[in-house]
Amino acid sequence: MVLWVFGYGSLIWNPGFDFDEKLIGYIKDYKRVFDLACIDHRGTPEHPARTCTLEQSTGAICWGAAYCVRGGPEKEKLAMEYLERRECEYDSKTLVEFYTETDTSEPILTGVIVFTSTPDKVLNKYYLGPAPLEEMAMQIATASGPCGNNREYLFKLEKAMHDIEHEEEYVTELANEVRKHIDLPNEVKALLKPVVSRVPMKSQSQAHVSTRQRVFAS
């Protein structure tokens, strides 16, 4: 029995949990978008960061890394508990098929868990939705939180995609737009207002609770 988890954001370069195997590959019919608010890592409730989530898109593919956890229920439980704390802004878990370059017609894994978010601002308080490229870039260029700034997250993702030899045009375009903003003179930056959100601050009593799933690859 084995647990597989697919990472498409910071999990690609910083999984943070004990795993036994890592595969580079992709999932189908999803695309990576920067439509999710982060208010406790690289942003704040007043000025949220923009981080990755997945959007369903027929014919699209999303490259990333699949991690395998072996060793029994206790090890799987520890990994899932860590991931649920870390991915607390994601309100859903989805099961996907995972492909690699060696076989693009048949999935190498099924039943792989991936953290996703409901694309609805009413149902999901962390969902920011799409925005013009320049507006997203300005938000990413100025947001920061306890774990660092938002632009570092984006630049690390850009590098991670390069390192796995699957650069993504959307990520590169957004990163280049952010670089334009951080290269602005200080007097111009002072005139630019960061995006403000009404996402409420999480309290200890509002900690994310989700039903744990033990998902096994077939």
Side-chain angles (χ1 to χ4, degrees):
M1 292 184 176
V2 177
L3 170 69
W4 283 92
V5 180
F6 179 71
Y8 55 91
S10 61
L11 288 177
I12 299 176
W13 73 86
N14 180 31
F17 61 95
D18 186 18
F19 64 92
D20 298 284
E21 186 179 357
K22 177 181 179 180
L23 297 176
I24 300 302
Y26 61 91
I27 60 175
K28 293 183 178 181
D29 298 325
Y30 287 94
K31 66 179 181 179
R32 192 178 353 248
V33 292
F34 275 77
D35 292 352
L36 193 67
C38 176
I39 64 171
D40 56 359
H41 287 84
R42 295 183 180 272
T44 64
E46 296 77 20
H47 303 301
R50 274 188 177 264
T51 53
C52 288
T53 186
L54 293 177
E55 180 181 291
Q56 288 186 306
S57 180
T58 302
I61 64 172
C62 179
W63 283 89
Y67 295 94
C68 172
V69 179
R70 300 187 183 95
E74 186 60 29
K75 188 175 179 181
E76 295 168 18
K77 178 183 176 183
L78 289 173
M80 189 56 64
E81 286 178 342
Y82 166 79
L83 287 167
E84 287 180 343
R85 289 193 302 270
R86 173 170 165 170
E87 308 297 303
C88 58
E89 277 96 5
Y90 298 83
D91 62 346
S92 301
K93 299 188 197 75
T94 304
L95 303 183
V96 295
E97 297 178 336
F98 180 80
Y99 298 79
T100 64
E101 284 182 317
T102 57
D103 191 347
T104 59
S105 60
E106 295 293 332
I108 191 172
L109 299 168
T110 62
V112 178
I113 193 169
V114 60
F115 286 82
T116 56
S117 56
T118 304
D120 187 305
K121 293 182 180 180
V122 175
L123 299 177
N124 181 3
K125 64 182 180 181
Y126 298 112
Y127 181 68
L128 296 173
L133 183 69
E134 185 174 358
E135 181 180 318
M136 287 198 299
M138 187 63 224
Q139 185 173 358
I140 292 170
T142 56
S144 63
C147 296
N149 58 58
N150 197 178
R151 60 183 180 271
E152 180 184 38
Y153 171 91
L154 172 59
F155 296 155
K156 284 188 173 181
L157 176 60
E158 182 186 33
K159 181 181 184 300
M161 300 308 295
H162 172 78
D163 290 345
I164 67 172
E165 299 182 348
H166 288 285
E167 293 92 341
E168 188 172 294
E169 182 179 357
Y170 169 72
V171 173
T172 301
E173 184 180 15
L174 183 55
N176 285 336
E177 188 67 25
V178 169
R179 289 186 182 97
K180 295 178 184 177
H181 288 288
I182 62 178
D183 289 336
L184 290 173
N186 289 332
E187 59 269 22
V188 176
K189 288 182 183 179
L191 300 175
L192 298 173
K193 295 182 179 180
V195 178
V196 176
S197 171
R198 296 182 179 180
V199 178
M201 182 178 294
K202 291 185 294 185
S203 66
Q204 292 296 322
S205 62
Q206 294 173 318
H208 173 76
V209 178
S210 63
T211 302
R212 292 195 190 100
Q213 304 178 42
R214 290 181 60 198
V215 183
F216 302 100
S218 61

